[in-house]
Amino acid sequence: MRTDIMGVSFDDLTLGEAVATGATLARTPGLSYVVTPNPEIVNLARQSQDYQKLLNAADLVLPDGIGVVYAAKLLGTPLKGRVPGIDFASGLLGELAGSGEALYLLGGKPGVAEQAAENLKQTYPGLHICGTHDGYFQDNEAVAAQIKAAGAKVVFVCLGAPKQEWWISRHGAATGAQLMVGLGGALDVYAGTVKRAPEAWQKLGLEWCYRLLHQPSRVGRMAKLPLFLVQAAAQKGRGRT
Ligand code: UDP
């Protein structure tokens, strides 16, 4: 059962349920993938049917932003809550540290994935990181082949949206991985180059505001968020829930 929010169908799961499902997918042969759309990504999907299909075909579609949760409420189909991609990733890291399945980190500026790997190995003893690569490369086939040669079971694909979802779709199978997760700027957070909002801000649903204060260049992207909620209200008004 999924909940449609402006054309993207979200799984209605708690964080714990999402992590448990992710851990199962990581152990299951064949490629699965997880997407973590925020309002910006939902808006991108409204402009491209192919991208919308790609998101909806994911094995898990998790509501990353508080805006998605508000929109769900406005549409009369509330979700259990927000499942931020980074929290899903952290839960999964705990599972991988226990199981020993190999993880590959792809994305970010040169040096970011390596630094993230160093930090994660400290935080999650037992975590097996089998390789890293920055997100600024030309030869997609070569990178997919490197991931395969490294023996990765799980790949965190952090190339920003929509690039990361398209990369999974076009090159995921060639990596031989069983689970790929599109995680935007997560490696920047794990590397310590971008700080997450303090927990109190997160609980109040104000992570976006903290991010805006620290990365004011995002103002153009974020100005679209109120419009997203207006559009959700309009969709409800038209009875298309
Ligand atoms: N990025 C990348 N390759 C690219 C474009 C972006 O690796 O060609 C990385 C970028 O360095 C950053 C992440 O993708 O680490 C995107 O971060 P952003 O904050 O835009 O993503 P969000 O978390 O908002 O989805």
Side-chain angles (χ1 to χ4, degrees), residues 36 38 40-41 64 106-109 112 133-137 158-161 163-164 183-188 194 211 215 218 221:
T36 60
N38 56 20
E40 255 186 286
I41 295 183
D64 179 75
L106 176 65
K109 298 204 173 99
V112 167
H133 200 292
D134 69 74
Y136 298 85
F137 52 86
C158 304
L159 304 173
K163 190 172 178 181
Q164 60 202 12
L183 284 169
L187 294 182
D188 293 309
V194 170
R211 230 172 154 184
Q215 292 174 276
R218 296 175 77 97
R221 290 167 65 172

Side-chain angles (χ1 to χ4, degrees), residues 2 15 33 37 52 85 91 123 130 132 140 153 160 179 202 205 238:
R2 280 185 168 174
L15 174 62
Y33 66 100
Q52 189 182 59
T123 314
C130 63
T132 61
N140 295 301
K153 281 278 184 295
L179 180 65
Q202 292 177 33
R238 287 196 300 272

Side-chain angles (χ1 to χ4, degrees), residues 127-146:
L127 184 64
H128 174 36
I129 298 183
C130 63
T132 61
H133 200 292
D134 69 74
Y136 298 85
F137 52 86
Q138 303 297 323
D139 192 342
N140 295 301
E141 284 75 19
V143 171
Q146 273 184 40

Side-chain angles (χ1 to χ4, degrees), residues 97-187:
S99 66
E101 278 150 330
L103 170 70
Y104 195 100
L105 304 179
L106 176 65
K109 298 204 173 99
V112 167
E114 285 93 328
Q115 184 60 55
E118 284 310 308
N119 296 351
L120 289 175
K121 280 190 243 172
Q122 304 282 327
T123 314
Y124 299 92
L127 184 64
H128 174 36
I129 298 183
C130 63
T132 61
H133 200 292
D134 69 74
Y136 298 85
F137 52 86
Q138 303 297 323
D139 192 342
N140 295 301
E141 284 75 19
V143 171
Q146 273 184 40
I147 296 173
K148 184 165 188 153
K153 281 278 184 295
V154 179
V155 186
F156 285 179
V157 187
C158 304
L159 304 173
K163 190 172 178 181
Q164 60 202 12
E165 289 81 16
W166 284 118
W167 203 85
I168 293 171
S169 160
R170 292 181 181 134
H171 307 287
T175 67
Q178 295 186 165
L179 180 65
M180 302 187 92
V181 190
L183 284 169
L187 294 182

